[in-house]
Amino acid sequence: MTIWFGGDYNPEQWAETVWQEDVVLMQQAGVTMVTVGVFSWSWLEPQEGTFTFEWLDRVLDTLHAAGIRVDLATATASPPPWLSHRYPDSLPVTETGVRLQRGARQAYCPSSPDYRRLAARLAGEIARRYADHPALELWHINNEYGCHVSRCYCETSAAAFRRWLTNKYGTVENLNRAWGTAFWSQRYGSIDEVTVPSAAPAFRNPTQLLDFDRFSSDEILGIFREEAAAVRAASPSVPITTNFMGLFKPLDYWAWAAELDVISDDCYPDPVDPDSPYLAAMTRDLMRSLADGKPWLLMEQSAGAVNWRPSNAAKPEGMMRAWSYQAIARGADGILYFQWRQSERGAERFHSAMLPHTGTDSVSWKAVCQLGGELREIGDALDAPTHGSVGIMLDWDSWWSIEQTGLPSTIDYMEGVRAWYRTLYDAGVAIDFVNPRSDLGRYSAIVVPTLFVATSDALAALSAYAEAGGRLLVGYQSGITDEEGRLTPGGYLGSLAETLGVRIDEFFPLPVPGSVPADSVRLRANDLGVRDAVGIVWSERLVITSADVVARFASGPLEGEAAITRRSAGAGQAWYAATLPDPWLRSRLVAQLLAGTGVLEDAVAVPGVEVTRRGRHRFVINQTASAVSVPIAGQTLSVEPYGVRILEGDTVWRD
Ligand code: GAL
């Protein structure tokens, strides 16, 4: 199995004489694949319909002669100036009506017929020209879809939204019912009267907003499909990818993943954020989950600093390597960077690269070369990744909906997801992300931080999972609305209420952080030996129908009432958390949830250290700047700061 190594290569920024030096240095660094052409549109089609591929021919031939494979982009990520000059309506419009101009990148409306026609044509031209090029390994459609413009509020987008609604609802009566337009005199006489949810005087219709989020994700997926179809027509046997951006709210990656041959991701954790290791681990686990347990590619990371934070920290020695191995341990079969050679000009001239501006006599170049050499050696020996043992539910409808306005509280959807992930990560558990349609049965436990929007099928699937012997933990604000945004018929939690053995009587959301009075509530879990814990974000009055109380609120208006419950449901267990417990209590709950499943017996939990299994190998990664000792496989393994040791079975295989 090859572990690809390389990065974005933008030769159009350099004289051809530099290209020769590039390939020599690429070979020195162990580069096996580069992504070419991501931002080359104005160089490949300098005027509408005039194509100048000769320079790209020479680039690909040069790379091929050096034995370097190519991930070839369709070059559509940044439309050339002539496009919006000629078709000004192709420029996107913001929620407040500002038309964004050219001069940066991604300046296109996702619904623009001119952009889409010209993008698909260019993709087809490139695919026909290079389908049989011997350097071609992978197709890279566009780049980071939605990164800058994921929602457009122009007239063209409004028309496309109406077509999407007509397709979904058929008639205006159906739309009126689904959107609840009896409220605030919003009843439409015809779908022609509907527009995009631009800035408005008061709370906008929640179902209109949700449908607009769904539409926007679908609409951008539509561009991907058109480009992919043009590429596949000319090059049916070469796989296709487009690079994701981790936990990216605007696009429902579950829907997208199904259309990619290879999942790939761009990930730029902040070197000075102590949470970066677990946050990066989350995105790696998401990518493996989107790939349904198969390998994926880290398409972009940085060798050192980025240039888009207020202050851009460099990576201490060893960190880049440790983070690269983290991706491999969690299923990546490629480590690539933005970009190969640091730009001298342009908006990203201060962004690090594999080959820095300071040249080859630099610490970061040496780190890149070292990693390239190591990956070439270990590649063949690695097994395919596998599924995790615990699933965390991630649902874009819920993410979009719970962050609207006009709700019981202001909730950050990812706060709960991150919290439960963190607890499982700290316990050394292998984690997948799942959605309500996933095969839940393969997991020892399912954690649902918040499933605000839940279809009756989703609720039934969770109940069935627990009844069949699964360990299910459900968090607050789940089963609150159906897919139309209507409050769940029959009461919050719907059919899941019976499985959980609780009913929700009334919400008591906690004040948002920093508020006076306190933004937390005290909790007591006597049976777990936890007398003084706290909960944040949420509380609510539960009516216990058939559950055991695991923790109670110990302050505030609900003092003495149930906060966390557990019910034996069929062969399994169904837990409910009416608050977000602090890390200590969460770790106790997770230990209980997983007790008897065998999951924790296989896990190694040492603070700051990740032990991740990939087939026969276990990667022991020290994510800290201090040396650590790790008890594993009957021995104590010392691991240097940011060090990586790989075990095969019980013996150290690589350092
Ligand atoms: C990504 C993008 C690259 C480059 C990089 C900088 O978002 O795909 O082209 O801009 O960020 O970190």
Side-chain angles (χ1 to χ4, degrees), residues 5-10 13-14 22 25-26 29 31 268 300-307 313-315 320 336-344 348-360 362-369:
F5 187 68
D8 276 24
Y9 181 38
N10 297 302
Q13 296 176 18
W14 302 92
D22 282 332
L25 291 175
M26 283 178 189
V31 166
Y268 294 94
E300 288 183 26
Q301 67 165 349
S302 66
V306 298
N307 73 319
K315 291 182 176 168
M320 185 278 288
L336 298 103
Y337 301 73
F338 176 84
Q339 61 178 331
W340 160 249
R341 182 187 278 273
Q342 185 174 353
S343 299
E344 270 183 354
E348 292 185 322
R349 64 200 192 282
F350 291 109
H351 194 292
S352 65
M354 299 173 82
L355 178 59
H357 188 60
T358 42
T360 53
S362 58
V363 173
S364 79
W365 168 257
K366 286 175 192 137
V368 163
C369 293

Side-chain angles (χ1 to χ4, degrees), residues 84-99:
S84 52
H85 180 67
R86 195 155 183 179
Y87 305 102
D89 289 352
S90 68
L91 290 167
V93 170
T94 66
E95 200 173 348
T96 49
V98 176
R99 199 176 275 277

